[in-house]
Amino acid sequence: MSIFNQPIATRAGEVTSLEPLRPKTLLLVNVASACGLTPQYKGLEALQLKYEGRGFSVVGFPCNQFMGQEPGTAEEIQEFCSTTYGVTFPLMEKIDVNGEGQHPIYAELNKVTDAQGYSGEIRWNFEKFLVASDGTVTRFNPEIEPEDPVIVGAIEAALQ
């Protein structure tokens, strides 16, 4: 199963998949608007602006599974993200990243092991997955800031 061919809705409710983004290197992130890590939106947007011209995109997946920290509607989430952090990268529909209702994209991503040897359920908001254009996936702990040298280095290597 490929994460690229799984149906997902945009925040506007239009059914799509990640397939149109396949030629790009992607940073997939489960996001939330009322979390201590929410300021990471600023770093995610900085990455988007820095690398989008080189075939890169952040893709946000709002999720309300962690202490109800993404309670808003699609419109409220978009308004918050664009007004507060100037977010221009795509935001998808609100999904579950763990458990019985887990979206198939995250069923696949959760199999990936991070540098510390962790694989399995998403631990918290802002867990990051760098998907290179060749399909290679690298997982990053939620607490690693988007502009951390380890993420930036991985993006640079994937864009070579």
Side-chain angles (χ1 to χ4, degrees):
M1 177 186 306
S2 168
I3 63 168
F4 292 101
N5 61 18
Q6 295 303 312
I8 187 154
T10 65
R11 66 160 188 84
E14 299 164 355
V15 178
T16 187
S17 71
L18 296 177
E19 187 64 40
L21 299 174
R22 185 186 280 254
K24 295 183 179 189
T25 294
L26 305 175
L27 187 64
L28 309 179
V29 187
N30 61 302
V31 295
S33 301
C35 172
L37 300 178
T38 299
Q40 286 191 20
Y41 269 122
K42 182 179 178 183
L44 293 171
E45 181 61 17
L47 292 175
Q48 177 71 23
L49 296 176
K50 182 175 182 176
Y51 294 110
E52 67 185 341
R54 292 179 55 193
F56 171 83
S57 183
V58 174
V59 181
F61 295 88
C63 178
N64 196 39
Q65 287 188 289
F66 302 98
M67 296 181 62
Q69 294 182 343
E70 188 57 277
T73 65
E75 294 78 22
E76 291 167 337
I77 294 166
Q78 181 64 40
E79 177 70 20
F80 171 80
C81 291
S82 61
T83 303
T84 308
Y85 294 102
V87 167
T88 61
F89 56 82
L91 293 171
M92 297 299 177
E93 68 180 324
K94 191 185 307 186
I95 62 169
D96 285 349
V97 296
N98 292 330
E100 189 175 310
Q102 177 184 60
H103 193 281
I105 289 172
Y106 273 85
E108 289 300 308
L109 292 175
N110 286 354
K111 296 175 185 175
V112 176
T113 303
D114 69 14
Q116 292 74 41
Y118 178 83
S119 65
E121 289 198 338
I122 299 297
R123 294 165 278 198
W124 199 251
N125 302 308
F126 292 90
E127 192 140 351
K128 298 156 202 75
F129 295 86
L130 183 67
V131 183
S133 59
D134 68 1
T136 305
V137 181
T138 307
R139 185 175 189 162
F140 299 97
N141 184 299
E143 294 181 3
I144 297 175
E145 294 284 334
E147 295 177 289
D148 185 286
V150 71
I151 294 179
V152 171
I155 292 169
E156 290 278 353
L159 292 173
Q160 301 269 344

